[in-house]
Amino acid sequence: MTTGCIILAGGAGTRMKSEKPKVLCEVLKKPMLGWVMNAAEDFGFDVTAVVTGYKSELTEEYVKSRGDFPTYLQTEQNGTGDAVKRAAEVAEQTDLVCVLCGDAPFIDGDTLRGSFELHKKSGASVTVITAEVKNPSGYGRIIRENGIFSAIREQKDCSPEEAEICEVNSGAYWFDSKALLTALPKLSTQNAAGEYYLTDCIELIGNAFAYKSENPDIVLGANTRRGLFELNETARQKVLYGLMEQGVEFLTLDGVIISPDAKIGCDTVILPNTVILGNTVIGTGCRIGANSHIEDCTVGNNVKLNNVQAYSSVIEDNVSAGPFVQLRPGTVIRRGVKIGDFVEIKNSDIGENTAVAHLTYLGDSDVGRGVNFGCGCVTANYDGINKFRTEIGDHAFIGCNTNLIAPVKVGENATTAAGSTITKPVPPNSLAVERGAVRIIENWEKNFKRKRKI
């Protein structure tokens, strides 16, 4: 039995007051649409498509960045039924179709699997995915007779007894594809909004069941910045509490933001004001923060990062870095490296047990094992047109205030004297000294003029 998924992502979200489509507004620095697409990928649909609308080019760009997903354009905002019509091709290709809202980020794979099984076993033509919430205000109520689903009642049409019902419509549905294709042409705009409502398909098709998810958050969405903030708070707590259950320690949750896609090992401590984003993986026994930003990085075990900014980098076991360290994309920090304060490393491979103590920039460099950098060293990798690499052999000693002008190579166990600017290869086991002769002018006239100004 083949399955398709249609994600509705065409709304403008005018109350969000954003220049981008609402589905691209972010929860934990990840577009709401991305959360829904993750749930669809978790389920494993045969076809997943996205219906775009407002500023479709932005949504399509994001969808393409995720993979080869078909998109369909809803040229005018004529309701959810019209949106599904645009993607009717998905129903033509599959036996069952699931319709999801691109701005309801907390739909999950377990809910999709559970509702799918109910849909098959019940023989239903339509299955409405529902949830029970504490405050049902604003949601369509699920009406059951003797426990069996009978209708969706909009709040304005509810009786006082029905208004007390806490089981609500999530806006997500399973349809038999043939039944959906038969119902879509019958939809009418004879309603207050003058739009095609997908919910009308339930009455047109009949034989409907309801599946109540164990996750009440699947109904949550946002129409305003305040609502988006509340989604972020909900998501943040879900992620952090989930990590606690896996053995991650937090001294406080103040300022801590962690992506739902991040993975962190047990006995790792996350300190205040730490942000961990993207597909970051952190090992066991680490200490991350305070005031660190780690994005799309792989971090080993027993790593200490204090006030570190790291992007698209690899940090192996037993590394310590910080404070005030930046690791830019393409950087690999090998096992046992020590990085001190005010150090920036970019697109470089730093060998095991190397020490970069402080006030140093290493760009486009391949550094061996056991190298020591003194204070204030620079690998000058850019001549204004092209970038070049620097190569430093194992156990080299780079003296304070050394400038290595790439392309250049420092051999194994070589030393550069403090204050040298190296433009030629330094052979192994040698000492490179580059210093101009000191010229001293005694009783320099400007000294006396400067003194009088004070």
Side-chain angles (χ1 to χ4, degrees):
M1 181 176 289
T2 56
T3 58
C5 179
I6 299 173
I7 302 175
L8 307 184
T14 53
R15 284 188 287 164
M16 198 69 75
K17 292 184 170 54
S18 174
E19 294 296 322
K20 57 189 176 184
K22 183 169 73 167
V23 295
L24 297 186
C25 291
E26 296 179 337
V27 175
L28 297 186
K29 301 300 292 181
K30 178 178 178 178
M32 289 191 283
L33 177 58
W35 288 71
V36 180
M37 293 183 74
N38 275 6
E41 290 170 344
D42 183 14
F43 178 85
F45 291 97
D46 295 297
V47 181
T48 298
V50 178
V51 180
T52 65
Y54 174 74
K55 293 197 173 180
S56 59
E57 68 281 1
L58 298 179
T59 307
E60 289 175 1
E61 181 181 1
Y62 176 74
V63 171
K64 288 179 181 178
S65 74
R66 296 287 304 253
D68 187 19
F69 298 96
T71 59
Y72 299 90
L73 176 61
Q74 185 185 25
T75 52
E76 296 181 12
Q77 305 300 296
N78 287 330
T80 52
D82 178 66
V84 173
K85 281 184 183 180
R86 305 293 174 173
E89 186 177 61
V90 176
E92 294 168 358
Q93 298 170 350
T94 57
D95 299 311
L96 299 177
V97 171
C98 183
V99 178
L100 301 176
C101 300
D103 60 352
F106 299 145
I107 188 71
D108 59 88
D110 288 341
T111 294
L112 294 178
R113 282 184 285 271
S115 56
F116 173 68
E117 291 301 323
L118 175 66
H119 186 82
K120 289 193 301 179
K121 291 178 181 178
S122 65
S125 298
V126 183
T127 297
V128 182
I129 300 177
T130 73
E132 191 165 322
V133 297
K134 293 181 179 179
N135 179 13
S137 178
Y139 294 101
R141 308 302 201 275
I142 300 300
I143 308 301
R144 294 179 182 266
E145 295 180 2
N146 298 320
I148 299 174
F149 170 72
S150 61
I152 299 174
R153 191 90 72 228
E154 294 303 322
Q155 178 168 304
K156 61 185 178 180
D157 299 323
C158 286
S159 67
E161 294 78 15
E162 290 172 340
E164 297 298 320
I165 295 172
C166 291
E167 185 181 2
V168 300
N169 179 20
S170 72
Y173 313 90
W174 280 99
F175 292 95
D176 281 358
S177 294
K178 290 181 180 179
L180 178 63
L181 291 170
T182 301
L184 285 173
K186 299 177 182 178
L187 293 178
S188 169
T189 58
Q190 298 302 310
N191 52 60
E195 296 181 346
Y196 296 98
Y197 289 151
L198 183 62
T199 50
D200 290 346
C201 286
I202 298 170
E203 183 177 347
L204 289 168
I205 295 172
N207 189 25
F209 279 69
Y211 171 83
K212 184 163 68 174
S213 173
E214 295 181 1
N215 176 9
D217 293 336
I218 64 167
V219 304
L220 296 180
N223 293 314
T224 64
R225 292 291 179 175
R226 177 173 176 173
L228 188 64
F229 167 78
E230 291 170 353
L231 286 185
N232 272 276
E233 279 297 289
T234 298
R236 188 175 81 100
Q237 291 186 15
K238 286 167 69 77
V239 170
L240 298 184
Y241 292 157
L243 289 170
M244 291 178 194
E245 292 178 0
Q246 298 169 27
V248 180
E249 181 177 346
F250 299 88
L251 303 185
T252 176
L253 300 187
D254 291 350
V256 177
I257 299 172
I258 300 180
S259 163
D261 301 320
K263 296 179 176 59
I264 304 177
C266 66
D267 295 321
T268 287
V269 179
I270 308 297
L271 296 175
N273 299 317
T274 290
V275 178
I276 300 172
L277 300 179
N279 294 302
T280 294
V281 178
I282 298 175
T284 62
C286 298
R287 190 176 181 89
I288 310 298
N291 307 310
S292 291
H293 183 113
I294 315 298
E295 187 166 344
D296 290 319
C297 292
T298 299
V299 180
N301 301 322
N302 303 310
V303 172
K304 294 183 175 65
L305 303 180
N306 174 17
N307 212 318
V308 171
Q309 304 270 313
Y311 305 88
S312 301
S313 296
V314 175
I315 304 168
E316 294 186 347
D317 297 347
N318 302 309
V319 168
S320 65
F324 310 115
V325 168
Q326 180 171 216
L327 305 179
R328 290 166 57 188
T331 293
V332 178
I333 307 296
R334 302 292 178 181
R335 183 188 304 267
V337 169
K338 292 180 173 58
I339 302 173
D341 56 317
F342 301 102
V343 172
E344 181 175 349
I345 302 176
K346 170 252 180 186
N347 190 30
S348 297
D349 191 319
I350 310 301
E352 292 184 8
N353 299 316
T354 286
V356 189
H358 39 205
L359 297 166
T360 290
Y361 170 74
L362 303 178
D364 300 307
S365 299
D366 299 300
V367 180
R369 302 175 57 199
V371 174
N372 186 86
F373 287 87
C375 176
C377 296
V378 173
T379 57
N381 56 321
Y382 184 48
D383 66 359
I385 300 174
N386 298 305
K387 293 186 178 181
F388 303 92
R389 294 196 74 82
T390 294
E391 184 177 341
I392 302 172
D394 294 346
H395 307 295
F397 185 95
I398 310 301
C400 293
N401 294 316
T402 292
N403 298 310
L404 298 173
I405 312 301
V408 71
K409 179 177 180 179
V410 177
E412 292 185 12
N413 203 40
T415 297
T416 65
S420 295
T421 297
I422 306 299
T423 59
K424 297 179 180 180
V426 180
N429 303 307
S430 62
L431 168 65
V433 183
E434 189 282 322
R435 294 174 183 160
V438 178
R439 181 185 178 197
I440 298 176
I441 302 174
E442 296 185 359
N443 298 316
W444 192 37
E445 181 179 353
K446 283 189 177 180
N447 286 339
F448 298 103
K449 292 181 178 178
R450 185 174 63 250
K451 186 176 181 181
R452 284 196 295 269
K453 290 181 179 180
I454 297 175

